[in-house]
Amino acid sequence: LKFVCYSNDCVDEHMMCLVGLKNIFARQLPNMPKEYIVRLLMDRKHKSVMVLRRNLVVGGITYRPYHSQKFGEIAFCAITADEQVKGYGTRLMNHLKQHARDVDGLTHFLTYADNNAVGYFVKQGFTKEIYLEKDVWHGFIKDYDGGLLMECKIDPKLPYTD
Ligand code: ACO
């Protein structure tokens, strides 16, 4: 199992991974228009942390770091159907937290969680209460109905990965 973080930088290997992740999102997030998935995945302000097994992408999380605000917005998160409930989603989130803290300097994540994924996000330390001051994130993240806004504080010291 390998964890990587790539964005659209025209490196062939990275682009192949992003296309693989796009296909997983398209299938696992049927309510999201495909063009919207592609737009954010390929947007250079977004990054994708991915889990690879035998060099194939089996899942990932696409997020946008707002460096000045020290928070990241998770846009999409999914694991391919036949690899779900094996713990990959948890390990993926831990790699995301470590990367976001150590590379981007972030302290929090926000996301609009689909109703059926709220349980997963709660297990990853997300809360329905938003403790961040509204002026920190208001106007930065888009309002989106059909999802519940959730927050996660990244521990400043905890080693999230081994
Ligand atoms: N509801 C409640 N609990 C869940 C769910 C869920 N949908 N999915 C996983 N869990 C639980 C697991 O039972 C497990 O609990 P445990 O630690 O007590 O055993 C824990 O969360 C972690 O499970 P993992 O195996 O690490 O999770 P998995 O690899 O299956 O990944 C994910 C979870 C990403 C939600 C995956 O099931 C998936 O891709 N689902 C379909 C797409 C989806 O709903 N994505 C999120 C949409 S919201 C957004 O993208 C912002």
Side-chain angles (χ1 to χ4, degrees):
L1 227 55
K2 196 171 124 187
F3 293 86
V4 296
C5 181
Y6 298 147
S7 60
N8 177 2
D9 57 5
C10 297
V11 175
D12 283 355
E13 189 200 332
H14 303 175
M15 302 314 281
M16 302 262 282
C17 288
L18 292 177
V19 170
L21 184 59
K22 185 261 299 173
N23 291 332
I24 294 172
F25 286 157
R27 191 164 282 237
Q28 294 301 316
L29 307 168
N31 297 328
M32 288 288 174
K34 285 202 181 68
E35 310 75 65
Y36 182 62
I37 294 175
V38 173
R39 180 148 63 82
L40 294 198
L41 254 174
M42 295 302 166
D43 170 64
R44 299 218 160 139
K45 295 191 185 90
H46 284 74
K47 295 180 165 191
S48 298
V49 174
M50 293 174 266
V51 50
L52 276 59
R53 217 185 63 173
R54 299 194 202 102
N55 265 343
L56 284 178
V57 183
V58 295
I61 296 176
T62 296
Y63 75 106
R64 175 171 173 176
Y66 288 97
H67 296 103
S68 62
Q69 310 306 106
K70 294 196 188 314
F71 80 86
E73 177 183 12
I74 293 176
F76 313 118
C77 164
I79 299 287
T80 197
D82 41 3
E83 305 290 351
Q84 289 178 9
V85 246
K86 293 182 179 176
Y88 294 169
T90 299
R91 293 184 62 189
L92 183 66
M93 185 63 77
N94 286 332
H95 275 83
L96 172 72
K97 288 175 182 170
Q98 181 106 22
H99 182 93
R101 179 186 66 196
D102 299 348
V103 178
D104 299 316
L106 307 184
T107 60
H108 291 78
F109 273 112
L110 290 172
T111 193
Y112 278 101
D114 286 355
N115 281 326
N116 63 341
V118 168
Y120 162 76
F121 282 107
V122 167
K123 285 195 170 145
Q124 309 309 317
F126 284 69
T127 57
K128 299 176 190 183
E129 280 79 30
I130 306 301
Y131 299 100
L132 275 174
E133 294 293 337
K134 197 168 181 182
D135 11 312
V136 172
W137 54 269
H138 190 68
F140 285 85
I141 67 172
K142 296 155 283 301
D143 281 326
Y144 162 70
D145 21 272
L148 176 70
L149 186 62
M150 297 184 80
E151 172 183 303
C152 177
K153 186 179 185 326
I154 307 170
D155 189 281
K157 291 222 171 66
L158 194 72
Y160 282 107
T161 64
D162 31 61

